[in-house]
Amino acid sequence: MKTLRIEKMIYGGNGVAESGETLPFVLPEELGQPEAGAFPNVIEASPDRVAPECVHFGACGGCHYQHANYPAQLEIKRAILLETFAAAGITELPKIEVHSGDPWHYRNRIRLRVGEVDGELRVGYNRAGSSGGEAMLPVTMCSIASPILWRAAEAVVALAKTDAAVRGWLAAAVELEFFTNDDESALQLVLFTRRPPAAGFGAFCKALQKSIPQLEGAGVALLPKNPSPQGRRAEHAKSGPQWGTPGILYRVGNDRHWVSRGAFFQVNRHVVAQLLRLAVGERKGALAWDLYAGVGLFSRALASTFETVVAVEAGQPAATDLAAALKGKKHRAVAMTTLEFLQAAVIQRERPDLIVMDPPRAGVGAEVCALLARVRCPEIVYVSCDPVTLARDLKQLTGDGYKLVELNLVDMFPQTFHMETVSVLRR
C-alpha cells in the first residue's frame, strides 16, 4: 500500500505529500496511507494530533481540523496564508498577527438539513465531500455551535414526536436555520420548505417557544418546488408566514446592532469584538466609507470617530437594517452595489480619509480594485474571508501604489480550514 509523508497543509483542509498527492485529516510530517473510509491510516502521528471533540468528525462536512490541537490549527492557517500570498507574487509582507478566542461553541448561526431517517424525522449536515445533493448525515451533537442552537434543534425534533403542528411543519421542511445573539438571550428561526402546510405556523412557533423561551421570532422561506442543480446557495426563497419579532439585538462592544432574520452577521460570537477593533481601532477623520457594509458592524463604530460615514450595501435585509442603524444628518446608508457606488464616486472625484471593506468570498475583483486606485484613499482596511481572492486583490492594489502595512489573521472559524484576515493598506 502506498505510503505518503505529509509535507504541508493546503487551503481546503487536506495535507499534501512531496509527490503532490493529498490526504484528508492528516498533519504536517505525518506518515500515512490512504484508506477507503474517511480517515487515512496514520503510521507516524504528529505530536499535535488529538482526539476529535465531535463523534461526527470525518463524516460531517463542517469541520476539518478537529484532529489537531488548537495552536497547531493556528500555525497551519498562518503557513497557508503565507504560501497563498507567495503564490500570488506578494513578497513584501508585514508580520502576520494571529488573533483567536474560544475554539468551541462559537457559532451564532447553524443551518441544518431535515429529513426522515429510519422512519423518524432527524436533523443533520451535509456529508464530507458532498454538495448537499446526497443523503444528509443525521447528527446528535455539534461542538462548534452555540449551546442554545443545538438545544433548539433537539427541541424541534423532540416536539415533532408529540405535537402535530410541529410534526407537520418539520415534515415539510428542507432545512432549519437558527441564529442567536452574543449572550444567547434571543433566538431566531428560519424554516426552509418547498411545500408548506396550509396553516399552523403560529402554533408550531408557540410550541417551540415553550421548550426554548429565548425564541423571539421565526419565518418561513419558500424555496422553488424544483431544487436548483447549483445547490441551495443558488436558490432564491420567497417569504412565507412570519411570527414574532423580525430580528434580534446583537451587542458588540458598546453598540447594539439590530439584525433582521436572515441578514448576514459575523458568525463567531467569541472574536467579533476583536475583528471590530482591528478594522476600526482608533482611526478618525472627516469621511469614511464602509463598503459591503452589511447591517453596519463597522459603520456604527466609525460614526463615533468620523464626521461623516457613508455605508454601502446592496443586499436585503441587511441594507434596511443598515439604513435604520446609521441615522444622523452627517451619515448616510447607500443601497447599491459597491461597484456602482465607486463608479459614481470616481466621476464626482470624492476622496475619503478611510475605506473599510468586507466583501463576500469572491473578493472585490479587478474592476473595484481599479476604481479604488483612482479614488486614491490614503488608507484601506480590507476584511476578507478567503485568502485566495484576498491575495489576488492585494496584488492588484499593491501594484497600483498601495503598500501592505498590517496583516492580521483572525480565527473566525476554528476547527475548519476557513480563515478571516484584516489587511491594512496605505499609499
Side-chain angles (χ1 to χ4, degrees), residues 18 35 46 85 116 147 149-150 159 185 245 258 265 279 320 325 327 337 352 355 364 367 406 413 421:
E18 290 185 4
E35 291 281 357
S46 165
F85 275 70
E116 191 170 289
L149 302 182
W150 189 249
L159 283 169
S185 62
T245 60
W258 176 257
F265 198 79
T320 300
K327 296 179 179 178
T337 68
I355 293 175
V364 302
E367 195 169 357
E406 187 179 313
F413 313 98
T421 54

Side-chain angles (χ1 to χ4, degrees), residues 186-198:
L187 182 72
Q188 284 284 335
L189 164 66
V190 179
L191 187 149
F192 296 86
T193 180
R194 299 189 195 281
R195 49 175 187 83

Side-chain angles (χ1 to χ4, degrees), residues 34 99 122 173 223 238 278 294 341 424:
H99 309 266
R122 300 284 299 278
L223 296 171
K238 295 181 180 179
L278 292 168
F341 172 78
V424 180

Side-chain angles (χ1 to χ4, degrees), residues 53 79 135-136 150 208 213 215 242 257 268 279 284 307 379 392 394 408:
E53 177 85 8
M136 75 171 185
W150 189 249
L208 181 57
L215 183 68
Q242 309 293 308
H257 300 268
N268 190 317
K284 57 185 177 180
E307 294 176 17
E379 184 174 28
R392 176 204 67 200
L394 292 188
N408 299 277

Side-chain angles (χ1 to χ4, degrees), residues 68-90:
N69 65 45
Y70 194 47
Q73 291 185 33
L74 296 175
E75 177 54 31
I76 286 169
K77 294 184 179 185
R78 191 190 70 84
I80 289 173
L81 187 59
L82 280 172
E83 184 162 341
T84 303
F85 275 70
I90 303 175

Side-chain angles (χ1 to χ4, degrees), residues 39-50:
F39 294 101
N41 177 28
V42 178
I43 300 169
E44 294 180 14
S46 165
D48 293 323
R49 179 172 284 274
V50 296

Side-chain angles (χ1 to χ4, degrees), residues 245-291:
T245 60
I248 56 179
L249 286 170
Y250 201 113
R251 183 184 295 278
V252 180
N254 295 323
D255 287 326
R256 299 176 75 194
H257 300 268
W258 176 257
V259 184
S260 288
R261 187 164 48 243
F264 169 79
F265 198 79
Q266 296 290 346
V267 74
N268 190 317
R269 64 194 181 102
H270 297 322
V271 301
V272 65
Q274 293 187 60
L275 182 74
L276 178 62
R277 176 180 57 81
L278 292 168
V280 176
E282 301 299 321
R283 295 177 175 90
K284 57 185 177 180
L287 174 63
W289 290 351
D290 183 9
L291 309 180

